[in-house]
Amino acid sequence: MLESKITQLTVRDVRFPTSLEQHGSDAMHTDPDYSVAYVVLETDSDAALKGYGLTFTVGRGTEIVVCAVKALSTLVVGKTLKEIISDFRGFYRLLSSDGQMRWVGPEKGVIQLATAAILNAVWDLWARVEGKVRNKPLKTNTSDPAKLISCIDFRYITDALTEQEALDILVKAKKGQKSREEQMLKEGYPAYTTSCAWLGYTDQQLTQLCSEALAQGWTKFKVKVGADLQDDIRRCSLIRKLIGPNNTLMIDANQRWDVNEAITWVTKLAEFHPLWIEEPTCPDDVLGHASISKALAPLGIGVATGDITHQLDCYWTTC
């Protein structure tokens, strides 16, 4: 089945009207309609083998991602799965570094989102061939550290992490892997919830949803902030009272502020003991994040860069 050839790539613009009830709203995305560019790869396999992938958007603009997927499809259709996975790193570079298409990227924005949707579909196709999807952890090509490393493009990051260093980390981590997998399957992975504290929710919704989340066992809560300081103080106060002093509260501004504004604003929310502030400023401003982190450290508040950091964006969208 690895010899299966990709014969067609189709992509759909799928949207959900989440803005009607303010689900997913934050300081920068006040009316998000959660959406996806949904890719299907069809093959010439007798088993009607297909691969499915998507990339996440928030409404208008999804049609642009769809156009980018269609533009990249000529680099995908006609290839066999074996051809792709034998040089997965090269396939990623083919999509993200096309001599003309990369001009509207490169490796960020629409081109990276389109690339992610296609890579997701290829990854899914590969997993289905290896028979590791149904009721089992998705471990395609990850049982062999060297094979996993070979899928990653290390260009631009070797000054921080070389290929050999990454391989050494994975090889070392093989020790105890089985017990960690068993623990994950039994206990799950620690997580927080944002679903009870979107910015557009009323106090009644906040109270109801936080109470329900507490009853379900949640102990970590993220609150959207950044539109209005007094409103943030009121909402953070309400949620801190609801979750109590021992549960964890985090705040997320979705890149709303400049550096000094972020420091001033978060300092005034320090009384609610947030663990960290996520995306306080422009995601590309590394020095700005460092300044904010240094200023908030004495208050015991950390800084999280979030999922918009462009160097990480592809990894987030292809998880």
Side-chain angles (χ1 to χ4, degrees):
M1 295 181 74
L2 289 176
E3 299 293 344
S4 300
K5 181 182 292 186
I6 297 172
T7 57
Q8 185 175 357
L9 183 157
T10 58
V11 57
R12 294 176 58 196
D13 180 342
V14 182
R15 307 192 191 189
F16 301 89
T18 53
S19 62
L20 294 178
E21 296 183 346
Q22 290 290 285
H23 304 312
S25 57
D26 59 54
M28 295 293 275
H29 310 93
T30 56
D31 59 346
D33 286 325
Y34 274 26
S35 311
V36 296
Y38 192 83
V39 171
V40 179
L41 298 179
E42 298 184 21
T43 71
D44 60 2
S45 168
D46 293 336
L49 181 67
K50 296 182 181 181
Y52 304 85
L54 58 84
T55 196
F56 170 73
T57 67
V58 291
R60 287 192 305 275
T62 309
E63 67 272 22
I64 303 174
V65 181
V66 167
C67 286
V69 170
K70 290 178 179 178
L72 292 173
S73 66
T74 57
L75 304 175
V76 182
V77 174
K79 292 188 178 299
T80 65
L81 181 58
K82 183 178 181 180
E83 183 181 357
I84 292 173
I85 66 176
S86 64
D87 183 16
F88 204 91
R89 179 184 301 171
F91 180 66
Y92 166 76
R93 286 194 177 186
L94 178 70
L95 296 179
S96 64
S97 299
D98 176 83
Q100 295 183 10
M101 291 294 292
R102 76 179 302 274
W103 193 262
V104 292
E107 295 188 271
K108 62 176 68 176
V110 172
I111 290 299
Q112 196 74 333
L113 289 170
T115 297
I118 294 171
L119 288 179
N120 271 332
V122 171
W123 194 268
D124 181 63
L125 187 65
W126 188 359
R128 290 173 187 275
V129 167
E130 294 199 8
K132 296 180 178 179
V133 170
R134 297 188 182 279
N135 300 319
K136 294 182 180 180
L138 179 56
K139 295 168 59 177
T140 300
N141 79 30
T142 60
S143 58
D144 179 356
K147 185 179 287 187
L148 174 61
I149 291 298
S150 73
C151 295
I152 300 172
D153 186 4
F154 281 83
R155 182 168 52 181
Y156 306 140
I157 64 171
T158 53
D159 57 323
L161 181 70
T162 67
E163 188 170 342
Q164 185 59 51
E165 288 170 339
L167 180 59
D168 292 342
I169 290 171
L170 290 184
V171 170
K172 184 179 179 180
K174 291 290 286 186
K175 182 179 180 180
Q177 179 179 334
K178 190 176 188 312
S179 63
R180 294 196 303 274
E181 287 181 354
E182 291 173 350
Q183 181 182 6
M184 285 283 290
L185 292 172
K186 180 181 178 181
E187 301 177 9
Y189 193 82
Y192 64 76
T193 178
T194 314
S195 60
C196 60
W198 296 113
L199 194 63
Y201 283 176
T202 65
D203 286 1
Q204 182 179 358
Q205 286 176 294
L206 295 177
T207 300
Q208 177 185 341
L209 294 173
C210 278
S211 298
E212 291 175 356
L214 285 167
Q216 293 167 358
W218 290 95
T219 60
K220 299 174 177 63
F221 300 78
K222 189 170 80 172
V223 182
K224 295 292 185 176
V225 298
D228 179 271
L229 178 57
Q230 295 307 312
D231 188 54
D232 286 348
I233 291 174
R234 178 183 55 77
R235 293 169 68 255
C236 286
S237 175
L238 172 62
I239 293 174
R240 174 52 78 188
K241 289 176 182 177
L242 287 167
I243 68 175
N246 297 323
N247 287 321
T248 304
L249 182 146
M250 296 90 77
I251 54 178
D252 183 359
N254 291 92
Q255 320 112 46
R256 179 64 182 255
W257 307 311
D258 66 19
V259 172
N260 292 328
E261 185 180 21
I263 294 170
T264 300
W265 200 299
V266 177
T267 297
K268 293 182 179 180
L269 298 178
E271 64 179 292
F272 307 111
H273 307 291
L275 178 65
W276 40 249
I277 170 64
E278 181 177 344
E279 294 188 328
T281 193
C282 172
D284 292 331
D285 189 355
V286 176
L287 296 180
H289 278 85
S291 297
I292 295 169
S293 179
K294 183 177 180 180
L296 297 180
L299 299 175
I301 302 173
V303 173
T305 56
D307 49 52
I308 286 296
T309 301
H310 288 135
Q311 190 68 13
L312 302 177
D313 194 41
C314 182
Y315 298 103
W316 177 73
T317 54
T318 57
C319 283

